[in-house]
Amino acid sequence: MDKKFILHLGYTTHPKKTRRAETNKNAHEVKPKRGTYFPVHSSLSLLCDTQVVYTLQSSNIRPLTSPCPKSGHVKQYSLDSIDFDVPSDLSQQLNEQQREVAFAPDGQLLVIAGAGSGKTRTLTHRVAHLVEKGVPPDHILLCTFTNKAAREMVERVERLLRRSTGNLWAGTFHHVGNRILRKHAELLDFSPNFTILDREDSGQLIDDAVRESGVLQGNMRFPKGRALNGVFGLTRSTGRDMHDIIIDHFPKFEPVAVEITEVWSYYQKRKKRLNMMDFDDLLFHWLQLLKEFPEIRQRYAEQFEHILVDEYQDTNPLQAEIIDHLCTFHNNLTVVGDDAQSIYGFRGADCRHILEFPERYPKCQLFYLDKNYRSRPEILTISNRVIAHNEFQFDKELKATRPSGMTPAIAVIKNARQEADFVAQRIKELREDGMSLDEIAVLYRIHSHSLEVQVALQHRAIPFIVRSGVRFFERAHIKDMIAFLRINHNPKDELSWRRILPLFPGIGKATVDKIWKALETHAFDLDIMRGKEVLNTFTKNARRSLQWLLRLLEEAQELNQQPTDILQLFYGQEYKDYVEHTYDDSTQRAEEIEQLILFAEEYETSRQFLDEMTLLNEASPVDQDDEQPPEESVVLTTVHQAKGLEWKAVFILDLAEGSFPFFMSVEEDNLEEERRLFYVASTRAKDQLYLCLRSIYPHKRYGWRNTRPSRFLWEILMPRDVLHERPDNTIKNLIEEANADELLEPWIVDESALLNIDDF
């Protein structure tokens, strides 16, 4: 029988009042009382005696019995019932492996869930099973790594149970920590109404602490708050000594390590005085409550009969220890994760938490979910081959449930520009064959690898979105570099002057205004600006910075407007130091600047380069600020940002030694995490996978050099026990091996890509 609800819609004058709507069960009619308000962007779920759930998603409906002011009458709106197709038996939707987890007896469960194996479905069914067997929802804690994941899981549980889960504790670790700290903040000398600082606010507060501490001396270049935020965050999340963190992850700050420690102390005091916490504090102080106040630990350990943790492989030491403390009474803990997808070590995540779980919980039950519902068997074969080379892992092999499809392609390309042209052209062909652009993704190890692809897609008017951050030419450090080029090309460019000047010591907003006025007064004659008569009107620090910048512009004028040399000149001196002391991801930004300098080599003059950049941005098919981008867009993203997502066709860029795996990770003995990154990248593909390999690359000192194929490509073709017997690591040998093995299909985009650089 068709069921319908009739909602009376109107406008409320008391938005803060919230009352329960009265339901006429016979007519299935909702009659809100005067003053009823349903929050904007909320999901209104209504239950009737037939247990049929109706959901209305709306951003502008405010039910009220008062007439609409425009029409003068009550508007009626009918909603059709939603068929959720939920079986009465929860187990009907699960395979045998998933069913074993969902209905496992109480205790500690470790679930190793491979990519595309349905871990979310399994976890939500376990929560639904616990509620169904009588565990009160507010006695269940479900920790996830995104609020979106938590919301989706709760919605799935409610759809399975066909009723509200009430007070189920679900959210990120930070969300749950905030909720608990609001109740007990006074024990830690905070007020319950403490403010949570975002990263930008934290950086500003750290800058205040730097000034308050008095560590600045003369013209000393001291790390900015944004950079120190990375130091402090990693120290908090790992529980390690700050000096060790600086040595291992921020070696450029070692000369001022003592001063940084002093700033840290001032920062902590300042937060306490202002009743503020940053994101890392939410975890640190939550753990502090559990460790220092036994009654608090006992209260929540008793309350949470069952604790479930998603993506357990990504937990940091704070999060893992919090769970250990909460699991001391009922000892019912379910952790789900995949050691092969542990890729956030740079944030403080530690893969050892999942690998050593059986040692910390000796009575745990171990389950495997290895049936993959996403990818074709050919894609899983190469993914399994590569990850098998990791030493520290749970042995498993993903098994395909889908039929065979296209063999993954290894596209042999000459250089970065040709790689971009290949990707763009192939995307266009896929679209013409009927594949939606939304089903296509381009993945890369670091953001700078996407530069040429962005340009190629823009030239062909192919819409795309960048999920790994803003578009390349909109990145702050890239805009700084281009601003210097613009000033050198056009000294009257006010916007570029105002962007560049504040980057240097001693130049604030008032000084910028004063410098600009001097430029106008002297008709932008930089020779006059370099004179003592003008320079002596500024403070000592401002004069030193301005003098340096003007001298740099003088040197740039002697470079015949070659953009690569001008950009290198600017970056090679003061600006490089600025980047290192300003950003916590300065290494990545340095890579992007180097990529910009290499890209500029293709242009003979600054004018050509600047005109091209302007036209590219103007013709951009998708504006980052657009509220509604085109319905279809290719996704460009780093592998880290792609985790948890899937597409029909995936391109992986620049599979060469030094690029993927990234050279710094290899040097820091993080090869296994790099291999897990490749595993994550390849298992994002459902139907088609393209592995791109450039044959040559530009070297800073030696010009163009031959590329060495990524070791991951060889690991696809050769088992671990015979990999040491591989031939010389050349593209030609790799392709010969691929032809013999048939696990990869070579796509030779340029025959010359198979030659040695000396043969060109």
Side-chain angles (χ1 to χ4, degrees):
M1 179 188 301
D2 289 333
K3 300 286 185 180
K4 290 186 177 180
F5 273 123
I6 301 175
L7 266 65
H8 296 283
L9 307 181
Y11 299 83
T12 180
T13 55
H14 304 288
K16 293 184 180 179
K17 296 182 179 179
T18 303
R19 300 177 183 174
R20 186 183 303 275
E22 294 180 346
T23 304
N24 184 327
K25 296 181 180 179
N26 295 325
H28 301 288
E29 180 177 356
V30 180
K31 295 182 178 179
K33 292 183 178 181
R34 184 176 301 277
T36 302
Y37 175 73
F38 292 102
V40 174
H41 301 301
S42 68
S43 175
L44 170 62
S45 298
L46 307 172
L47 295 171
C48 66
D49 54 338
T50 57
Q51 292 294 300
V52 179
V53 181
Y54 299 80
T55 301
L56 171 65
Q57 293 283 355
S58 175
S59 61
N60 57 6
I61 295 177
R62 305 171 194 170
L64 194 66
T65 54
S66 60
C68 172
K70 293 184 177 179
S71 61
H73 64 274
V74 174
K75 179 179 179 180
Q76 291 185 334
Y77 190 92
S78 299
L79 290 178
D80 294 330
S81 63
I82 302 174
D83 182 11
F84 287 116
D85 192 27
V86 179
S88 56
D89 182 1
L90 295 180
S91 65
Q92 290 182 19
Q93 291 186 330
L94 306 177
N95 65 32
E96 184 177 351
Q97 290 179 333
Q98 295 168 339
R99 196 157 39 244
E100 289 179 355
V101 174
F103 300 100
D106 292 355
Q108 298 103 39
L109 280 63
L110 171 59
V111 184
I112 304 301
S117 62
K119 71 175 180 63
T120 301
R121 169 174 290 190
T122 306
L123 199 55
T124 53
H125 273 74
R126 179 156 183 81
V127 175
H129 168 67
L130 293 174
V131 175
E132 193 175 50
K133 78 172 188 177
V135 179
D138 62 341
H139 287 206
I140 298 174
L141 172 63
L142 173 60
C143 288
T144 65
F145 272 80
T146 67
N147 286 313
K148 180 182 178 182
R151 288 193 299 269
E152 289 178 352
M153 288 190 189
V154 171
E155 288 174 2
R156 289 194 188 191
V157 170
E158 291 181 342
R159 290 164 80 110
L160 287 169
L161 296 173
R162 301 186 180 188
R163 65 178 184 271
S164 171
T165 55
N167 298 320
L168 175 70
W169 284 66
T172 64
F173 279 90
H174 295 87
H175 172 85
V176 177
N178 174 56
R179 186 173 172 181
I180 290 176
L181 286 170
R182 295 289 179 187
K183 296 182 178 181
H184 310 290
E186 293 177 349
L187 293 175
L188 302 174
D189 296 326
F190 285 92
S191 298
N193 64 337
F194 61 82
T195 299
I196 301 176
L197 298 166
D198 60 22
R199 288 184 63 82
E200 182 179 352
D201 293 336
S202 296
Q204 292 178 356
L205 202 64
I206 294 172
D207 284 332
D208 293 340
V210 170
R211 289 189 289 270
E212 184 179 351
S213 66
V215 298
L216 293 179
Q217 297 178 4
N219 198 39
M220 173 185 180
R221 175 76 82 176
F222 196 78
K224 299 287 187 182
R226 182 170 179 173
L228 291 178
N229 210 5
V231 178
F232 297 166
L234 201 55
T235 300
R236 275 282 205 225
S237 62
T238 61
R240 296 177 57 198
D241 179 76
M242 184 175 296
H243 194 266
D244 292 338
I245 290 291
I246 291 174
I247 293 174
D248 291 344
H249 299 277
F250 305 89
K252 56 184 174 291
F253 296 159
E254 188 175 359
V256 290
V258 174
E259 289 81 0
I260 290 175
T261 303
E262 188 175 347
V263 171
W264 163 260
S265 177
Y266 275 87
Y267 176 54
Q268 301 309 316
K269 293 175 183 177
R270 195 173 183 85
K271 284 187 295 182
K272 181 68 70 71
R273 186 169 69 246
L274 299 176
N275 196 37
M276 293 177 171
M277 294 188 194
D278 58 31
F279 282 129
D280 298 302
D281 290 331
L282 296 176
L283 300 182
F284 177 82
H285 290 309
W286 180 11
L287 179 58
Q288 185 182 3
L289 276 175
L290 299 177
K291 294 172 70 174
E292 296 181 6
F293 299 92
E295 68 279 9
I296 301 297
R297 180 177 63 249
Q298 185 70 13
R299 169 181 169 175
Y300 288 103
E302 289 186 14
Q303 176 176 341
F304 296 133
E305 294 183 37
H306 283 268
I307 300 171
L308 303 95
V309 184
D310 189 22
E311 305 286 6
Y312 188 73
Q313 78 280 352
D314 293 330
T315 54
N316 63 37
L318 283 180
Q319 294 162 333
E321 190 174 354
I322 286 170
I323 294 301
D324 291 343
H325 281 290
L326 292 175
C327 195
T328 54
F329 189 81
H330 297 286
N331 294 310
N332 294 322
L333 173 62
T334 300
V335 300
V336 180
D338 183 6
D339 55 292
Q341 297 187 72
S342 178
I343 59 175
Y344 297 113
F346 66 96
R347 295 181 184 171
D350 194 335
C351 189
R352 289 177 298 180
H353 295 148
I354 192 168
L355 293 175
E356 298 173 1
F357 189 87
E359 298 175 18
R360 298 210 326 274
Y361 293 90
K363 296 181 179 180
C364 79
Q365 306 170 67
L366 179 60
F367 298 87
Y368 286 92
L369 302 181
D370 57 17
K371 291 184 178 180
N372 179 282
Y373 294 90
R374 175 187 299 153
S375 304
R376 300 285 184 181
E378 292 82 359
I379 295 173
L380 295 184
T381 296
I382 70 168
S383 303
N384 287 329
R385 282 252 188 154
V386 172
I387 200 63
H389 288 263
N390 266 6
E391 180 179 356
F392 302 102
Q393 63 173 324
F394 289 100
D395 291 331
K396 60 184 175 301
E397 186 171 291
L398 290 177
K399 301 175 179 63
T401 60
R402 300 182 64 202
S404 293
M406 171 182 162
T407 300
I410 175 170
V412 180
I413 298 151
K414 190 171 183 179
N415 53 33
R417 173 58 68 90
Q418 195 177 83
E419 178 185 58
D421 288 339
F422 162 73
V423 170
Q425 180 173 311
R426 184 60 186 146
I427 288 174
K428 191 174 182 180
E429 293 169 353
L430 292 173
R431 183 66 186 90
E432 291 171 351
D433 290 341
M435 185 180 293
S436 169
L437 295 179
D438 291 333
E439 293 286 356
I440 304 172
V442 181
L443 310 185
Y444 34 86
R445 174 60 181 85
I446 59 176
H447 191 65
S448 63
H449 293 170
S450 70
L451 169 56
E452 286 84 359
V453 172
Q454 292 189 39
V455 173
L457 293 175
Q458 287 176 327
H459 277 153
R460 290 165 177 78
I462 299 175
F464 67 91
I465 57 176
V466 181
R467 287 208 174 146
S468 53
V470 298
R471 291 171 179 266
F472 188 87
F473 293 108
E474 293 300 315
R475 300 271 282 171
H477 50 292
I478 299 300
K479 295 179 76 171
D480 291 343
M481 294 288 293
I482 293 176
F484 178 79
L485 200 62
R486 291 185 186 280
I487 292 175
N488 183 70
H489 178 66
N490 174 22
K492 296 181 181 180
D493 189 333
E494 179 180 1
L495 294 179
S496 295
W497 277 106
R498 291 188 178 277
R499 182 176 189 89
I500 288 292
L501 287 169
L503 302 179
F504 303 105
I507 300 181
K509 185 178 183 303
T511 305
V512 169
D513 292 338
K514 188 175 180 180
I515 293 174
W516 177 251
K517 185 176 180 180
L519 285 165
E520 287 185 311
T521 301
H522 299 291
F524 303 97
D525 188 326
L526 300 188
D527 288 331
I528 297 177
M529 291 292 295
R530 295 185 190 99
K532 291 184 178 180
E533 183 178 344
V534 176
L535 290 174
N536 288 338
T537 62
F538 300 100
T539 63
K540 181 179 178 180
N541 287 341
R543 181 167 62 250
R544 185 185 292 113
S545 294
L546 180 58
Q547 199 169 15
W548 172 86
L549 181 57
L550 293 172
R551 185 172 62 250
L552 205 61
L553 287 168
E554 183 179 18
E555 292 179 31
Q557 286 295 322
E558 299 173 359
L559 296 176
N560 298 319
Q561 292 295 315
Q562 214 296 323
T564 295
D565 294 338
I566 296 172
L567 291 170
Q568 185 65 63
L569 174 70
F570 179 60
Y571 178 60
Q573 299 192 35
E574 188 78 9
Y575 189 68
K576 183 177 182 180
D577 191 49
Y578 169 83
V579 170
E580 290 179 346
H581 286 79
T582 301
Y583 301 108
D584 56 352
D585 59 346
S586 60
T587 301
Q588 176 182 326
R589 291 175 187 261
E591 285 287 326
E592 292 173 2
I593 291 173
E594 294 290 352
Q595 193 71 25
L596 174 72
I597 293 170
L598 291 173
F599 180 76
E601 283 186 350
E602 300 180 21
Y603 301 88
E604 294 181 358
T605 67
S606 295
R607 179 178 178 179
Q608 292 175 346
F609 177 78
L610 293 171
D611 286 349
E612 178 75 355
M613 297 305 97
T614 302
L615 292 173
L616 281 173
N617 288 330
E618 187 68 24
S620 175
V622 180
D623 191 332
Q624 281 289 98
D625 296 329
D626 285 349
E627 294 184 0
Q628 295 182 340
E631 293 183 1
E632 293 185 24
S633 299
V634 177
V635 173
L636 273 60
T637 179
T638 61
V639 181
H640 286 101
Q641 294 290 333
K643 187 170 176 292
L645 304 175
E646 61 183 31
W647 296 272
K648 286 185 178 179
V650 169
F651 297 81
I652 305 178
L653 302 183
D654 201 10
L655 280 164
E657 281 294 303
S659 292
F660 201 169
F662 193 48
F663 73 97
M664 289 189 63
S665 296
V666 176
E667 291 174 357
E668 295 170 1
D669 199 26
N670 287 329
L671 178 59
E672 293 217 346
E673 181 156 324
E674 286 292 302
R675 190 173 284 116
R676 294 193 291 265
L677 261 179
F678 178 84
Y679 176 82
V680 168
S682 60
T683 54
R684 299 311 94 196
K686 296 194 287 187
D687 298 326
Q688 300 184 30
L689 178 62
Y690 301 88
L691 308 176
C692 300
L693 173 59
R694 310 171 188 174
S695 67
I696 58 176
Y697 70 98
H699 192 281
K700 294 178 184 178
R701 295 179 58 187
Y702 305 112
W704 290 96
R705 309 300 296 170
N706 283 114
T707 293
R708 289 184 301 144
S710 169
R711 69 188 69 193
F712 302 149
L713 296 175
W714 282 107
E715 290 171 357
I716 291 172
L717 302 174
M718 306 187 75
R720 183 175 180 177
D721 56 344
V722 298
L723 185 61
H724 65 281
E725 300 175 4
R726 75 182 183 195
D728 290 340
N729 190 14
T730 65
I731 292 179
K732 186 176 181 180
N733 289 335
L734 180 76
I735 297 306
E736 290 176 353
E737 191 70 33
N739 280 324
D741 195 284
E742 297 184 353
L743 288 176
L744 296 175
E745 181 180 1
W747 287 33
I748 309 301
V749 179
D750 190 328
E751 289 287 346
S752 66
L754 298 176
L755 301 177
N756 188 285
I757 191 73
D758 298 328
D759 297 326
F760 288 122

